[in-house]
Amino acid sequence: MPAVFVHMFEGRTVDQKRKLAKAITDAMIEHCNCKPDALHVAIQEYTLENWARAGVLGPDRKDL
């Protein structure tokens, strides 16, 4: 069971996530010889307040 996990900030539409899942599936079929029925794509979304980089939470960053 191949699986691809996508972690990103929230805010994308359902249509954007649908297209992303399709593109990932197509790439895995082409490049990894995966069978589409066996491939799982999981999208985990985070709010800025639940993600930190270099010890600084998203809402406190000046570069976002």
PDB file of all heavy atoms in Angstrom, residues 4-38:
ATOM      1  N   VAL A   4       1.079   8.643   0.156  1.00  0.00           N
ATOM      2  CA  VAL A   4       1.712   9.951   0.051  1.00  0.00           C
ATOM      3  C   VAL A   4       1.013  10.863   1.055  1.00  0.00           C
ATOM      4  O   VAL A   4      -0.222  10.945   1.064  1.00  0.00           O
ATOM      5  CB  VAL A   4       1.586  10.533  -1.375  1.00  0.00           C
ATOM      6  CG1 VAL A   4       2.161  11.938  -1.441  1.00  0.00           C
ATOM      7  CG2 VAL A   4       2.264   9.616  -2.388  1.00  0.00           C
ATOM      8  N   PHE A   5       1.795  11.532   1.887  1.00  0.00           N
ATOM      9  CA  PHE A   5       1.252  12.431   2.894  1.00  0.00           C
ATOM     10  C   PHE A   5       1.646  13.862   2.541  1.00  0.00           C
ATOM     11  O   PHE A   5       2.829  14.151   2.347  1.00  0.00           O
ATOM     12  CB  PHE A   5       1.771  12.069   4.287  1.00  0.00           C
ATOM     13  CG  PHE A   5       1.344  10.691   4.707  1.00  0.00           C
ATOM     14  CD1 PHE A   5       2.142   9.596   4.448  1.00  0.00           C
ATOM     15  CD2 PHE A   5       0.130  10.505   5.340  1.00  0.00           C
ATOM     16  CE1 PHE A   5       1.745   8.316   4.815  1.00  0.00           C
ATOM     17  CE2 PHE A   5      -0.285   9.232   5.717  1.00  0.00           C
ATOM     18  CZ  PHE A   5       0.526   8.141   5.459  1.00  0.00           C
ATOM     19  N   VAL A   6       0.667  14.738   2.451  1.00  0.00           N
ATOM     20  CA  VAL A   6       0.887  16.140   2.119  1.00  0.00           C
ATOM     21  C   VAL A   6       0.555  16.960   3.359  1.00  0.00           C
ATOM     22  O   VAL A   6      -0.536  16.850   3.910  1.00  0.00           O
ATOM     23  CB  VAL A   6      -0.013  16.583   0.946  1.00  0.00           C
ATOM     24  CG1 VAL A   6       0.187  18.059   0.637  1.00  0.00           C
ATOM     25  CG2 VAL A   6       0.237  15.713  -0.286  1.00  0.00           C
ATOM     26  N   HIS A   7       1.488  17.767   3.792  1.00  0.00           N
ATOM     27  CA  HIS A   7       1.283  18.667   4.930  1.00  0.00           C
ATOM     28  C   HIS A   7       1.372  20.092   4.404  1.00  0.00           C
ATOM     29  O   HIS A   7       2.363  20.451   3.758  1.00  0.00           O
ATOM     30  CB  HIS A   7       2.357  18.446   5.999  1.00  0.00           C
ATOM     31  CG  HIS A   7       2.335  17.077   6.582  1.00  0.00           C
ATOM     32  ND1 HIS A   7       1.592  16.756   7.693  1.00  0.00           N
ATOM     33  CD2 HIS A   7       2.943  15.934   6.187  1.00  0.00           C
ATOM     34  CE1 HIS A   7       1.751  15.482   7.978  1.00  0.00           C
ATOM     35  NE2 HIS A   7       2.567  14.959   7.072  1.00  0.00           N
ATOM     36  N   MET A   8       0.327  20.885   4.665  1.00  0.00           N
ATOM     37  CA  MET A   8       0.332  22.256   4.159  1.00  0.00           C
ATOM     38  C   MET A   8      -0.583  23.126   5.017  1.00  0.00           C
ATOM     39  O   MET A   8      -1.385  22.620   5.805  1.00  0.00           O
ATOM     40  CB  MET A   8      -0.107  22.299   2.697  1.00  0.00           C
ATOM     41  CG  MET A   8      -1.495  21.805   2.429  1.00  0.00           C
ATOM     42  SD  MET A   8      -1.761  21.779   0.636  1.00  0.00           S
ATOM     43  CE  MET A   8      -3.413  21.148   0.572  1.00  0.00           C
ATOM     44  N   PHE A   9      -0.428  24.429   4.856  1.00  0.00           N
ATOM     45  CA  PHE A   9      -1.300  25.353   5.558  1.00  0.00           C
ATOM     46  C   PHE A   9      -2.707  25.250   4.990  1.00  0.00           C
ATOM     47  O   PHE A   9      -2.892  24.977   3.804  1.00  0.00           O
ATOM     48  CB  PHE A   9      -0.804  26.794   5.430  1.00  0.00           C
ATOM     49  CG  PHE A   9       0.495  27.048   6.129  1.00  0.00           C
ATOM     50  CD1 PHE A   9       1.556  27.628   5.463  1.00  0.00           C
ATOM     51  CD2 PHE A   9       0.656  26.707   7.458  1.00  0.00           C
ATOM     52  CE1 PHE A   9       2.759  27.874   6.112  1.00  0.00           C
ATOM     53  CE2 PHE A   9       1.851  26.951   8.125  1.00  0.00           C
ATOM     54  CZ  PHE A   9       2.897  27.529   7.438  1.00  0.00           C
ATOM     55  N   GLU A  10      -3.703  25.492   5.824  1.00  0.00           N
ATOM     56  CA  GLU A  10      -5.082  25.457   5.365  1.00  0.00           C
ATOM     57  C   GLU A  10      -5.356  26.623   4.431  1.00  0.00           C
ATOM     58  O   GLU A  10      -4.586  27.576   4.367  1.00  0.00           O
ATOM     59  CB  GLU A  10      -6.040  25.511   6.562  1.00  0.00           C
ATOM     60  CG  GLU A  10      -5.985  26.806   7.332  1.00  0.00           C
ATOM     61  CD  GLU A  10      -6.914  26.811   8.534  1.00  0.00           C
ATOM     62  OE1 GLU A  10      -7.590  25.813   8.791  1.00  0.00           O
ATOM     63  OE2 GLU A  10      -6.952  27.849   9.218  1.00  0.00           O
ATOM     64  N   GLY A  11      -6.455  26.501   3.688  1.00  0.00           N
ATOM     65  CA  GLY A  11      -6.847  27.609   2.826  1.00  0.00           C
ATOM     66  C   GLY A  11      -7.096  27.214   1.382  1.00  0.00           C
ATOM     67  O   GLY A  11      -7.617  28.016   0.615  1.00  0.00           O
ATOM     68  N   ARG A  12      -6.724  25.998   1.000  1.00  0.00           N
ATOM     69  CA  ARG A  12      -6.986  25.565  -0.374  1.00  0.00           C
ATOM     70  C   ARG A  12      -8.437  25.119  -0.491  1.00  0.00           C
ATOM     71  O   ARG A  12      -9.040  24.645   0.455  1.00  0.00           O
ATOM     72  CB  ARG A  12      -6.080  24.395  -0.768  1.00  0.00           C
ATOM     73  CG  ARG A  12      -4.713  24.785  -1.299  1.00  0.00           C
ATOM     74  CD  ARG A  12      -3.886  25.397  -0.264  1.00  0.00           C
ATOM     75  NE  ARG A  12      -2.513  25.619  -0.694  1.00  0.00           N
ATOM     76  CZ  ARG A  12      -1.539  25.755   0.167  1.00  0.00           C
ATOM     77  NH1 ARG A  12      -1.768  25.665   1.461  1.00  0.00           N
ATOM     78  NH2 ARG A  12      -0.335  25.997  -0.251  1.00  0.00           N
ATOM     79  N   THR A  13      -8.978  25.242  -1.685  1.00  0.00           N
ATOM     80  CA  THR A  13     -10.347  24.811  -1.928  1.00  0.00           C
ATOM     81  C   THR A  13     -10.385  23.293  -2.124  1.00  0.00           C
ATOM     82  O   THR A  13      -9.344  22.659  -2.371  1.00  0.00           O
ATOM     83  CB  THR A  13     -10.924  25.477  -3.187  1.00  0.00           C
ATOM     84  OG1 THR A  13     -10.191  25.004  -4.332  1.00  0.00           O
ATOM     85  CG2 THR A  13     -10.848  27.002  -3.095  1.00  0.00           C
ATOM     86  N   VAL A  14     -11.586  22.742  -2.043  1.00  0.00           N
ATOM     87  CA  VAL A  14     -11.754  21.309  -2.298  1.00  0.00           C
ATOM     88  C   VAL A  14     -11.308  20.991  -3.721  1.00  0.00           C
ATOM     89  O   VAL A  14     -10.655  19.967  -3.962  1.00  0.00           O
ATOM     90  CB  VAL A  14     -13.220  20.871  -2.069  1.00  0.00           C
ATOM     91  CG1 VAL A  14     -13.446  19.448  -2.533  1.00  0.00           C
ATOM     92  CG2 VAL A  14     -13.585  21.021  -0.605  1.00  0.00           C
ATOM     93  N   ASP A  15     -11.606  21.865  -4.673  1.00  0.00           N
ATOM     94  CA  ASP A  15     -11.198  21.621  -6.054  1.00  0.00           C
ATOM     95  C   ASP A  15      -9.680  21.595  -6.196  1.00  0.00           C
ATOM     96  O   ASP A  15      -9.135  20.756  -6.919  1.00  0.00           O
ATOM     97  CB  ASP A  15     -11.800  22.678  -6.985  1.00  0.00           C
ATOM     98  CG  ASP A  15     -11.623  22.304  -8.443  1.00  0.00           C
ATOM     99  OD1 ASP A  15     -12.015  21.181  -8.822  1.00  0.00           O
ATOM    100  OD2 ASP A  15     -11.074  23.133  -9.199  1.00  0.00           O
ATOM    101  N   GLN A  16      -8.980  22.487  -5.499  1.00  0.00           N
ATOM    102  CA  GLN A  16      -7.513  22.472  -5.542  1.00  0.00           C
ATOM    103  C   GLN A  16      -6.972  21.172  -4.966  1.00  0.00           C
ATOM    104  O   GLN A  16      -6.037  20.581  -5.523  1.00  0.00           O
ATOM    105  CB  GLN A  16      -6.947  23.660  -4.761  1.00  0.00           C
ATOM    106  CG  GLN A  16      -7.137  24.991  -5.461  1.00  0.00           C
ATOM    107  CD  GLN A  16      -6.704  26.145  -4.593  1.00  0.00           C
ATOM    108  OE1 GLN A  16      -7.095  26.246  -3.431  1.00  0.00           O
ATOM    109  NE2 GLN A  16      -5.899  27.043  -5.154  1.00  0.00           N
ATOM    110  N   LYS A  17      -7.543  20.705  -3.862  1.00  0.00           N
ATOM    111  CA  LYS A  17      -7.082  19.455  -3.253  1.00  0.00           C
ATOM    112  C   LYS A  17      -7.423  18.262  -4.135  1.00  0.00           C
ATOM    113  O   LYS A  17      -6.638  17.314  -4.247  1.00  0.00           O
ATOM    114  CB  LYS A  17      -7.670  19.294  -1.853  1.00  0.00           C
ATOM    115  CG  LYS A  17      -7.088  20.308  -0.868  1.00  0.00           C
ATOM    116  CD  LYS A  17      -7.610  20.110   0.525  1.00  0.00           C
ATOM    117  CE  LYS A  17      -8.838  20.959   0.736  1.00  0.00           C
ATOM    118  NZ  LYS A  17      -9.289  20.956   2.133  1.00  0.00           N
ATOM    119  N   ARG A  18      -8.558  18.314  -4.808  1.00  0.00           N
ATOM    120  CA  ARG A  18      -8.935  17.258  -5.746  1.00  0.00           C
ATOM    121  C   ARG A  18      -7.908  17.157  -6.877  1.00  0.00           C
ATOM    122  O   ARG A  18      -7.448  16.065  -7.233  1.00  0.00           O
ATOM    123  CB  ARG A  18     -10.331  17.574  -6.301  1.00  0.00           C
ATOM    124  CG  ARG A  18     -10.926  16.519  -7.174  1.00  0.00           C
ATOM    125  CD  ARG A  18     -12.334  16.916  -7.660  1.00  0.00           C
ATOM    126  NE  ARG A  18     -13.279  16.886  -6.536  1.00  0.00           N
ATOM    127  CZ  ARG A  18     -13.961  17.937  -6.087  1.00  0.00           C
ATOM    128  NH1 ARG A  18     -13.821  19.136  -6.658  1.00  0.00           N
ATOM    129  NH2 ARG A  18     -14.792  17.810  -5.085  1.00  0.00           N
ATOM    130  N   LYS A  19      -7.532  18.317  -7.426  1.00  0.00           N
ATOM    131  CA  LYS A  19      -6.542  18.345  -8.509  1.00  0.00           C
ATOM    132  C   LYS A  19      -5.169  17.890  -8.018  1.00  0.00           C
ATOM    133  O   LYS A  19      -4.441  17.193  -8.741  1.00  0.00           O
ATOM    134  CB  LYS A  19      -6.467  19.738  -9.114  1.00  0.00           C
ATOM    135  CG  LYS A  19      -7.706  20.096  -9.913  1.00  0.00           C
ATOM    136  CD  LYS A  19      -7.662  21.528 -10.397  1.00  0.00           C
ATOM    137  CE  LYS A  19      -8.930  21.877 -11.155  1.00  0.00           C
ATOM    138  NZ  LYS A  19      -8.974  23.288 -11.551  1.00  0.00           N
ATOM    139  N   LEU A  20      -4.811  18.274  -6.803  1.00  0.00           N
ATOM    140  CA  LEU A  20      -3.538  17.839  -6.225  1.00  0.00           C
ATOM    141  C   LEU A  20      -3.505  16.326  -6.067  1.00  0.00           C
ATOM    142  O   LEU A  20      -2.521  15.678  -6.445  1.00  0.00           O
ATOM    143  CB  LEU A  20      -3.311  18.520  -4.879  1.00  0.00           C
ATOM    144  CG  LEU A  20      -2.061  18.100  -4.113  1.00  0.00           C
ATOM    145  CD1 LEU A  20      -0.793  18.428  -4.900  1.00  0.00           C
ATOM    146  CD2 LEU A  20      -2.044  18.751  -2.743  1.00  0.00           C
ATOM    147  N   ALA A  21      -4.569  15.751  -5.528  1.00  0.00           N
ATOM    148  CA  ALA A  21      -4.627  14.292  -5.342  1.00  0.00           C
ATOM    149  C   ALA A  21      -4.515  13.580  -6.678  1.00  0.00           C
ATOM    150  O   ALA A  21      -3.818  12.563  -6.794  1.00  0.00           O
ATOM    151  CB  ALA A  21      -5.918  13.908  -4.626  1.00  0.00           C
ATOM    152  N   LYS A  22      -5.165  14.102  -7.706  1.00  0.00           N
ATOM    153  CA  LYS A  22      -5.092  13.496  -9.048  1.00  0.00           C
ATOM    154  C   LYS A  22      -3.676  13.599  -9.605  1.00  0.00           C
ATOM    155  O   LYS A  22      -3.144  12.636 -10.170  1.00  0.00           O
ATOM    156  CB  LYS A  22      -6.095  14.191  -9.973  1.00  0.00           C
ATOM    157  CG  LYS A  22      -6.054  13.734 -11.405  1.00  0.00           C
ATOM    158  CD  LYS A  22      -6.671  12.371 -11.587  1.00  0.00           C
ATOM    159  CE  LYS A  22      -6.876  12.052 -13.057  1.00  0.00           C
ATOM    160  NZ  LYS A  22      -5.954  11.051 -13.562  1.00  0.00           N
ATOM    161  N   ALA A  23      -3.045  14.756  -9.457  1.00  0.00           N
ATOM    162  CA  ALA A  23      -1.682  14.944  -9.975  1.00  0.00           C
ATOM    163  C   ALA A  23      -0.684  14.040  -9.257  1.00  0.00           C
ATOM    164  O   ALA A  23       0.210  13.461  -9.893  1.00  0.00           O
ATOM    165  CB  ALA A  23      -1.267  16.411  -9.841  1.00  0.00           C
ATOM    166  N   ILE A  24      -0.827  13.908  -7.950  1.00  0.00           N
ATOM    167  CA  ILE A  24       0.054  13.016  -7.192  1.00  0.00           C
ATOM    168  C   ILE A  24      -0.150  11.579  -7.633  1.00  0.00           C
ATOM    169  O   ILE A  24       0.815  10.827  -7.848  1.00  0.00           O
ATOM    170  CB  ILE A  24      -0.186  13.171  -5.673  1.00  0.00           C
ATOM    171  CG1 ILE A  24       0.328  14.527  -5.202  1.00  0.00           C
ATOM    172  CG2 ILE A  24       0.468  12.034  -4.893  1.00  0.00           C
ATOM    173  CD1 ILE A  24      -0.088  14.902  -3.787  1.00  0.00           C
ATOM    174  N   THR A  25      -1.409  11.183  -7.786  1.00  0.00           N
ATOM    175  CA  THR A  25      -1.709   9.821  -8.233  1.00  0.00           C
ATOM    176  C   THR A  25      -1.101   9.564  -9.600  1.00  0.00           C
ATOM    177  O   THR A  25      -0.448   8.534  -9.825  1.00  0.00           O
ATOM    178  CB  THR A  25      -3.228   9.582  -8.253  1.00  0.00           C
ATOM    179  OG1 THR A  25      -3.730   9.753  -6.926  1.00  0.00           O
ATOM    180  CG2 THR A  25      -3.564   8.186  -8.751  1.00  0.00           C
ATOM    181  N   ASP A  26      -1.296  10.482 -10.539  1.00  0.00           N
ATOM    182  CA  ASP A  26      -0.739  10.323 -11.883  1.00  0.00           C
ATOM    183  C   ASP A  26       0.783  10.210 -11.846  1.00  0.00           C
ATOM    184  O   ASP A  26       1.378   9.388 -12.553  1.00  0.00           O
ATOM    185  CB  ASP A  26      -1.152  11.491 -12.780  1.00  0.00           C
ATOM    186  CG  ASP A  26      -2.643  11.482 -13.111  1.00  0.00           C
ATOM    187  OD1 ASP A  26      -3.313  10.449 -12.893  1.00  0.00           O
ATOM    188  OD2 ASP A  26      -3.142  12.528 -13.575  1.00  0.00           O
ATOM    189  N   ALA A  27       1.437  11.034 -11.013  1.00  0.00           N
ATOM    190  CA  ALA A  27       2.899  10.987 -10.908  1.00  0.00           C
ATOM    191  C   ALA A  27       3.374   9.664 -10.315  1.00  0.00           C
ATOM    192  O   ALA A  27       4.368   9.083 -10.778  1.00  0.00           O
ATOM    193  CB  ALA A  27       3.403  12.151 -10.064  1.00  0.00           C
ATOM    194  N   MET A  28       2.683   9.169  -9.309  1.00  0.00           N
ATOM    195  CA  MET A  28       3.070   7.893  -8.699  1.00  0.00           C
ATOM    196  C   MET A  28       2.877   6.726  -9.670  1.00  0.00           C
ATOM    197  O   MET A  28       3.676   5.788  -9.684  1.00  0.00           O
ATOM    198  CB  MET A  28       2.275   7.664  -7.413  1.00  0.00           C
ATOM    199  CG  MET A  28       2.645   8.594  -6.274  1.00  0.00           C
ATOM    200  SD  MET A  28       4.311   8.302  -5.637  1.00  0.00           S
ATOM    201  CE  MET A  28       4.070   6.753  -4.779  1.00  0.00           C
ATOM    202  N   ILE A  29       1.838   6.793 -10.483  1.00  0.00           N
ATOM    203  CA  ILE A  29       1.613   5.754 -11.493  1.00  0.00           C
ATOM    204  C   ILE A  29       2.749   5.784 -12.516  1.00  0.00           C
ATOM    205  O   ILE A  29       3.331   4.746 -12.845  1.00  0.00           O
ATOM    206  CB  ILE A  29       0.246   5.949 -12.188  1.00  0.00           C
ATOM    207  CG1 ILE A  29      -0.892   5.657 -11.215  1.00  0.00           C
ATOM    208  CG2 ILE A  29       0.139   5.082 -13.433  1.00  0.00           C
ATOM    209  CD1 ILE A  29      -2.263   6.121 -11.711  1.00  0.00           C
ATOM    210  N   GLU A  30       3.062   6.983 -12.992  1.00  0.00           N
ATOM    211  CA  GLU A  30       4.091   7.128 -14.031  1.00  0.00           C
ATOM    212  C   GLU A  30       5.492   6.803 -13.534  1.00  0.00           C
ATOM    213  O   GLU A  30       6.251   6.106 -14.190  1.00  0.00           O
ATOM    214  CB  GLU A  30       4.063   8.547 -14.586  1.00  0.00           C
ATOM    215  CG  GLU A  30       5.119   8.781 -15.668  1.00  0.00           C
ATOM    216  CD  GLU A  30       5.112  10.198 -16.222  1.00  0.00           C
ATOM    217  OE1 GLU A  30       4.178  10.964 -15.924  1.00  0.00           O
ATOM    218  OE2 GLU A  30       6.062  10.533 -16.947  1.00  0.00           O
ATOM    219  N   HIS A  31       5.867   7.324 -12.374  1.00  0.00           N
ATOM    220  CA  HIS A  31       7.254   7.246 -11.929  1.00  0.00           C
ATOM    221  C   HIS A  31       7.548   6.096 -10.972  1.00  0.00           C
ATOM    222  O   HIS A  31       8.703   5.708 -10.822  1.00  0.00           O
ATOM    223  CB  HIS A  31       7.677   8.569 -11.283  1.00  0.00           C
ATOM    224  CG  HIS A  31       7.576   9.729 -12.224  1.00  0.00           C
ATOM    225  ND1 HIS A  31       8.421   9.903 -13.299  1.00  0.00           N
ATOM    226  CD2 HIS A  31       6.703  10.767 -12.256  1.00  0.00           C
ATOM    227  CE1 HIS A  31       8.084  10.998 -13.964  1.00  0.00           C
ATOM    228  NE2 HIS A  31       7.040  11.543 -13.349  1.00  0.00           N
ATOM    229  N   CYS A  32       6.519   5.581 -10.308  1.00  0.00           N
ATOM    230  CA  CYS A  32       6.749   4.530  -9.301  1.00  0.00           C
ATOM    231  C   CYS A  32       6.011   3.238  -9.605  1.00  0.00           C
ATOM    232  O   CYS A  32       6.017   2.323  -8.783  1.00  0.00           O
ATOM    233  CB  CYS A  32       6.345   5.043  -7.919  1.00  0.00           C
ATOM    234  SG  CYS A  32       7.314   6.468  -7.399  1.00  0.00           S
ATOM    235  N   ASN A  33       5.367   3.193 -10.765  1.00  0.00           N
ATOM    236  CA  ASN A  33       4.651   1.993 -11.189  1.00  0.00           C
ATOM    237  C   ASN A  33       3.600   1.554 -10.163  1.00  0.00           C
ATOM    238  O   ASN A  33       3.403   0.372  -9.924  1.00  0.00           O
ATOM    239  CB  ASN A  33       5.638   0.859 -11.474  1.00  0.00           C
ATOM    240  CG  ASN A  33       5.029  -0.213 -12.344  1.00  0.00           C
ATOM    241  OD1 ASN A  33       4.149   0.066 -13.148  1.00  0.00           O
ATOM    242  ND2 ASN A  33       5.485  -1.438 -12.175  1.00  0.00           N
ATOM    243  N   CYS A  34       2.950   2.523  -9.525  1.00  0.00           N
ATOM    244  CA  CYS A  34       1.900   2.227  -8.538  1.00  0.00           C
ATOM    245  C   CYS A  34       0.585   1.934  -9.244  1.00  0.00           C
ATOM    246  O   CYS A  34       0.312   2.465 -10.310  1.00  0.00           O
ATOM    247  CB  CYS A  34       1.686   3.419  -7.607  1.00  0.00           C
ATOM    248  SG  CYS A  34       3.055   3.700  -6.490  1.00  0.00           S
ATOM    249  N   LYS A  35      -0.206   1.133  -8.614  1.00  0.00           N
ATOM    250  CA  LYS A  35      -1.563   0.898  -9.085  1.00  0.00           C
ATOM    251  C   LYS A  35      -2.471   1.920  -8.387  1.00  0.00           C
ATOM    252  O   LYS A  35      -2.426   2.073  -7.170  1.00  0.00           O
ATOM    253  CB  LYS A  35      -1.988  -0.514  -8.755  1.00  0.00           C
ATOM    254  CG  LYS A  35      -1.074  -1.560  -9.402  1.00  0.00           C
ATOM    255  CD  LYS A  35      -1.806  -2.839  -9.643  1.00  0.00           C
ATOM    256  CE  LYS A  35      -0.939  -3.901 -10.261  1.00  0.00           C
ATOM    257  NZ  LYS A  35      -0.079  -3.498 -11.319  1.00  0.00           N
ATOM    258  N   PRO A  36      -3.298   2.638  -9.150  1.00  0.00           N
ATOM    259  CA  PRO A  36      -4.096   3.710  -8.558  1.00  0.00           C
ATOM    260  C   PRO A  36      -5.020   3.230  -7.443  1.00  0.00           C
ATOM    261  O   PRO A  36      -5.235   3.957  -6.470  1.00  0.00           O
ATOM    262  CB  PRO A  36      -4.880   4.290  -9.731  1.00  0.00           C
ATOM    263  CG  PRO A  36      -4.766   3.302 -10.829  1.00  0.00           C
ATOM    264  CD  PRO A  36      -3.527   2.504 -10.582  1.00  0.00           C
ATOM    265  N   ASP A  37      -5.548   2.029  -7.551  1.00  0.00           N
ATOM    266  CA  ASP A  37      -6.456   1.537  -6.513  1.00  0.00           C
ATOM    267  C   ASP A  37      -5.749   1.249  -5.192  1.00  0.00           C
ATOM    268  O   ASP A  37      -6.400   1.135  -4.155  1.00  0.00           O
ATOM    269  CB  ASP A  37      -7.170   0.267  -6.989  1.00  0.00           C
ATOM    270  CG  ASP A  37      -8.171   0.551  -8.100  1.00  0.00           C
ATOM    271  OD1 ASP A  37      -8.534   1.730  -8.277  1.00  0.00           O
ATOM    272  OD2 ASP A  37      -8.582  -0.394  -8.787  1.00  0.00           O
ATOM    273  N   ALA A  38      -4.439   1.126  -5.225  1.00  0.00           N
ATOM    274  CA  ALA A  38      -3.687   0.818  -4.005  1.00  0.00           C
ATOM    275  C   ALA A  38      -3.087   2.067  -3.357  1.00  0.00           C
ATOM    276  O   ALA A  38      -2.628   2.012  -2.225  1.00  0.00           O
ATOM    277  CB  ALA A  38      -2.572  -0.172  -4.317  1.00  0.00           C
TER     278      ALA A  38
END
